[in-house]
Amino acid sequence: QMQLQESGPGLVKPSETLSLMCTVSGGSINSRSYHWGWIRQAPVKGLEWIGNIYSSGSTYYNPSLKSRVTISADMSKNQFSLKVISVTAADTAVYYCARITITSTGWIAFDIWGQGTMVTVSS
Amino acid sequence: DIQMTQSPSTLSASVGDRVTITCRASQFINSHLAWFQQKPGRAPKLLIYKTSTLESGVPSRFSGSGSGTEFTLTISSLQPDDFARYYCQQYDSYTWTFGQGTRVETK
């Protein structure tokens, strides 16, 4: 069974860059059967889609975050990453990575999630 | 951007009740609609994808229906383990969106 695990600093200073990694085990991120995504959840708030990276390498981002977000993949390490620049307190949230499965009949969005990692933006 | 509006925001129910949550999309999204359950401190769990397909291992008391812009999640007989927050999510366009969530609480 594939598993996803987020990692990265739990505390980031305002105006700095938030960097998180998602390590995939039990399968390859290079597989054409999967795409990958990032989602976040601010304290006592709902889920917010951040963006996806497709197996082709194409990326798509939430328009409200697009100017500050980059998602990339490192096939050699079986990881994909999230960078958010110029963070503020509004970026404080639990960040999740998740898998998107591609089947012959369509996509299964976010069928496997990491456990999430809390990131606090504070000086 | 496609906006997703869930209702109600909070639902009070008892064990055994039939529960329905509605999700409305601001534009046509084909059948590209998923439902997730989230419990406090836990990652969301996929319940249903492609509007009505039950994810493996999800109890059959959960069902999804709808088309176009109107979708529903139904729990046929609410169980103690079902008290949680539920989210719909559209994945029709290149940019995806979640509904704001529905909290199912004990009456």
Side-chain angles (χ1 to χ4, degrees):
Chain A
Q1 172 76 330
M2 189 176 286
Q3 293 185 315
L4 282 64
Q5 177 69 59
E6 305 89 349
S7 59
L11 181 64
V12 181
K13 289 182 168 56
S15 80
E16 294 190 346
T17 297
L18 180 162
S19 295
L20 296 175
M21 198 71 69
C22 182
T23 301
V24 178
S25 58
S28 171
I29 69 164
N30 201 25
S31 169
R32 290 189 176 186
S33 296
Y34 306 116
H35 301 322
W36 309 94
W38 286 97
I39 304 99
R40 71 181 184 180
Q41 186 170 35
V44 297
K45 296 288 188 182
L47 300 170
E48 180 179 31
W49 174 75
I50 300 173
N52 294 337
I53 183 165
Y54 290 1
S55 57
S56 63
S58 297
T59 52
Y60 300 91
Y61 302 120
N62 186 323
S64 69
L65 299 169
K66 186 175 183 178
S67 63
R68 299 193 296 122
V69 169
T70 302
I71 297 174
S72 60
D74 186 335
M75 305 301 180
S76 66
K77 295 182 179 179
N78 222 36
Q79 296 174 329
F80 62 103
S81 66
L82 170 70
K83 290 190 191 303
V84 183
I85 65 171
S86 305
V87 297
T88 69
D91 295 307
T92 294
V94 176
Y95 286 76
Y96 296 100
C97 58
R99 185 184 80 175
I100 303 157
T101 295
I102 314 304
T103 74
S104 59
T105 57
W107 292 21
I108 306 173
F110 301 146
D111 56 346
I112 294 180
W113 294 62
Q115 65 184 26
T117 187
M118 180 68 201
V119 178
T120 300
V121 178
S122 175
S123 55
Chain B
D1 302 348
I2 300 175
Q3 308 301 317
M4 305 300 292
T5 303
Q6 270 183 252
S7 60
S9 55
T10 304
L11 190 158
S12 298
S14 302
V15 172
D17 284 353
R18 182 181 181 87
V19 166
T20 299
I21 299 169
T22 298
C23 187
R24 178 180 291 113
S26 60
Q27 64 190 67
F28 186 77
I29 58 169
N30 292 288
S31 61
H32 300 138
L33 191 283
W35 290 96
F36 298 88
Q37 177 193 65
Q38 188 180 31
K39 296 182 178 179
R42 303 289 298 274
K45 172 188 173 185
L46 177 66
L47 298 175
I48 288 169
Y49 60 94
K50 210 164 69 174
T51 296
S52 59
T53 304
L54 209 61
E55 172 70 337
S56 177
V58 174
S60 59
R61 63 181 179 273
F62 291 93
S63 64
S65 63
S67 64
T69 62
E70 293 273 342
F71 302 86
T72 59
L73 171 70
T74 300
I75 309 172
S76 60
S77 177
L78 194 68
Q79 298 302 300
D81 191 49
D82 302 337
F83 292 99
R85 188 173 293 274
Y86 294 84
Y87 294 91
C88 63
Q89 182 234 334
Q90 68 80 17
Y91 53 101
D92 186 63
S93 62
Y94 285 116
T95 57
W96 296 4
T97 41
F98 288 92
Q100 77 274 25
T102 295
R103 180 187 174 203
V104 177
E105 64 177 20
T106 306
K107 183 183 288 185

